[in-house]
Amino acid sequence: MKSSLLALAILTVRTYGATPPVAAHQSGGAEHIVIIDRDAPIQPHVAEVLERLALSEAHPDVRLVFNNSAFRGFAASMKSHCLDLLANMSDISVVEEATSIGRQLVIPRQVSPSYGTRPHVPWGLQRISSTSSTVKGKAQSMDYTYTYPVAPNGQDLGAGADIYILDTGIYTQHQAFQSNPNRQVQMAWTYNGDFSDVDGHGTHVAGTAGGAMVGVASNANVFGVKALDSEGGGWSSNVIAGIDYIIQSHDARMAGGNTLGSVMSMSLASAEPVQAISSAIDAAVQAGIHTVVAAGNSNKDACSASPAASGGLQGPAITVGAVGMTGKRSSFSNYGDCVDVYAPGEDIISAWPGGKEMVNSLSGTSMATPHVTGVVAGLIGGNATLAGSPGEMKEWIRMMALAQGDGKGGMMSVVSNGVKAEFEEGMIGI
């Protein structure tokens, strides 16, 4: 039986020398994630580790296998017999019980010729392309203006970049994804054979990141990677399997010259830090995949949950908190050293399943995250240096963000697509 809701159990890995003789596998037990140590002198194949446990990839207790250029491992139901064996293997870096994961949602001038504008957009798009800390008007209206850089190479609004939405799926037939025949928008992977988005969360996130009219990088390729169920929940093992797919897809598309770079967007959270997710994110970034994650909606330190703990001063991901139209940090948004930037996250209008023109207004750090995902995709399309370096990309996002008070006596930085700075200072950006 799997762990209880949002529970997390981490087993300490110890080195005791040789692995004891293998006894017959005992079926059942909680699902655990096993990651092979990439720094081991001799890194074993997944099949070899499974054989030590009297298991194989075909065994019904082995649910997922991770095998990409950045990390190897598997997820399997195991009792203490297997866990004790794993604890004595010096070439295993992570043994962790699979934990529940959920989407992050709170329901409820003249410009230079090198810039373009798009009218009739949600307020969030105007906010990320303005130096004003507030946006005046009604959050539910679509009468705002988005200003964006027009790249000299013609790769505007993320053209040539790949966005992977790791979420509940995407309703790809929505008009927001069908108006541009020169890009790909498709469901690419699912953990359960169902490619639909029943929950709607993934479609909303994808719309803000890369949808026409409502999206930041509306020329980018958008791929749905379904790791959460119809109610927006799921397991850490499914999330890691999704990351495994994304790394393999990124490697193949880069090798084939089919993309300028990839950004992985994760609007989800666990109740506590999950070491296996942190390790997978580290591996993805090392593989060259830019990673943007939600800070979480618990009004607490973002370092207390995954994948938010992989950002800020603690890791290579870009962790995103939420602000409202008044420019103040949203009351629900997590904060702290693991947060890199804040972005619009209240009353955000975006695509919704059920009809090709249907939209919905949602709030949460899930809604803030794709604003930054879209900015990163735009930079991938227009700046080869940043496209090839997730570290430099993160630094650019942090550097160009606009510092302001958080309304609670502190300071924070709100994401900017760099339009104002480039216009005034002649900077070469995206």
Side-chain angles (χ1 to χ4, degrees):
M1 181 176 180
K2 292 181 180 177
S3 57
S4 59
L5 183 65
L6 296 180
L8 177 68
I10 300 178
L11 302 179
T12 303
V13 178
R14 302 182 298 276
T15 302
Y16 290 122
T19 303
V22 178
H25 172 74
Q26 301 170 8
S27 292
E31 182 177 304
H32 284 73
I33 298 163
V34 178
I35 303 296
I36 296 170
D37 187 356
R38 60 181 293 145
D39 296 322
I42 300 178
Q43 188 179 119
H45 292 285
V46 174
E48 180 182 341
V49 176
L50 289 171
E51 185 177 358
R52 298 176 191 172
L53 305 174
L55 288 170
S56 68
E57 294 185 19
H59 195 286
D61 283 345
V62 179
R63 202 171 70 81
L64 298 165
V65 171
F66 319 127
N67 190 19
N68 56 73
S69 64
F71 69 92
R72 296 175 180 172
F74 60 91
S77 298
M78 296 180 288
K79 292 183 178 180
S80 59
H81 166 73
C82 288
L83 300 178
D84 290 343
L85 290 174
L86 288 164
N88 287 283
M89 297 181 191
S90 60
D91 48 14
I92 300 299
S93 62
V94 176
V95 180
E96 182 174 78
E97 186 172 336
T99 187
S100 58
I101 301 292
R103 52 169 167 65
Q104 284 298 285
L105 166 67
V106 175
I107 298 177
R109 107 201 123 180
Q110 292 286 347
V111 296
S112 156
S114 60
Y115 299 98
T117 60
R118 183 197 303 163
H120 310 301
V121 302
W123 75 268
L125 271 64
Q126 179 169 310
R127 179 65 181 84
I128 68 171
S129 57
S130 169
T131 57
S132 174
S133 62
T134 61
V135 178
K136 296 182 179 179
K138 296 181 179 180
Q140 303 294 334
S141 68
M142 290 275 290
D143 57 2
Y144 300 95
T145 300
Y146 176 36
T147 305
Y148 56 90
V150 176
N153 62 2
Q155 304 297 123
D156 303 325
L157 296 171
D162 289 349
I163 297 175
Y164 292 91
I165 304 295
L166 187 60
D167 212 290
T168 64
I170 301 175
Y171 174 53
T172 59
Q173 297 305 306
H174 196 283
Q175 185 176 341
F177 308 120
Q178 293 294 317
S179 59
N180 183 352
N182 297 318
R183 66 166 178 164
Q184 299 180 62
V185 179
Q186 65 185 59
M187 279 299 300
W189 182 89
T190 175
Y191 74 97
N192 65 352
D194 180 3
F195 287 87
S196 64
D197 179 17
V198 176
D199 181 79
H201 186 270
T203 298
H204 197 280
V205 170
T208 299
M213 296 302 295
V214 296
V216 178
S218 51
N219 288 336
N221 301 314
V222 181
F223 301 108
V225 178
K226 182 174 179 177
L228 303 180
D229 60 27
S230 60
E231 296 180 351
W235 293 93
S236 53
S237 50
N238 294 334
V239 172
I240 294 168
I243 296 174
D244 175 55
Y245 167 79
I246 291 169
I247 293 173
Q248 294 186 57
S249 177
H250 166 77
D251 287 348
R253 288 178 61 78
M254 288 293 291
N258 298 315
T259 182
L260 299 175
S262 305
V263 52
M264 175 170 63
S265 191
M266 302 176 66
S267 289
L268 47 85
S270 64
E272 298 179 78
V274 181
Q275 183 185 358
I277 288 180
S278 298
S279 296
I281 288 174
D282 288 350
V285 173
Q286 289 179 24
I289 299 172
H290 306 268
T291 302
V292 184
V293 305
N297 300 333
S298 302
N299 188 30
K300 63 181 183 181
D301 188 347
C303 296
S304 63
S306 289
S310 292
L313 301 177
Q314 307 301 313
I318 301 171
T319 297
V320 185
V323 296
M325 292 185 73
T326 63
K328 297 179 180 179
R329 177 172 67 86
S330 301
S331 60
F332 54 79
S333 177
N334 286 355
Y335 52 84
D337 287 345
C338 286
V339 177
D340 291 281
V341 292
Y342 291 78
E346 296 181 23
D347 301 313
I348 303 301
I349 296 174
S350 187
W352 196 250
K356 293 186 177 182
E357 298 182 355
M358 187 172 291
V359 296
N360 200 357
S361 175
L362 301 178
S363 299
T365 55
S366 278
M367 286 63 252
T369 300
H371 283 89
V372 180
T373 298
V375 172
V376 171
L379 287 160
I380 290 174
N383 190 312
T385 299
L386 294 180
S389 174
E392 291 188 30
M393 177 72 77
K394 175 167 173 157
E395 183 60 28
W396 191 98
I397 292 293
R398 291 172 62 95
M399 178 182 68
M400 298 305 295
L402 306 173
Q404 64 182 58
D406 64 1
K408 301 178 182 180
M411 294 296 294
M412 63 182 183
S413 297
V414 180
V415 71
S416 166
N417 64 359
V419 167
K420 183 67 174 179
E422 292 175 20
F423 179 68
E424 291 188 338
E425 302 174 19
M427 296 177 63
I428 298 176
I430 60 175

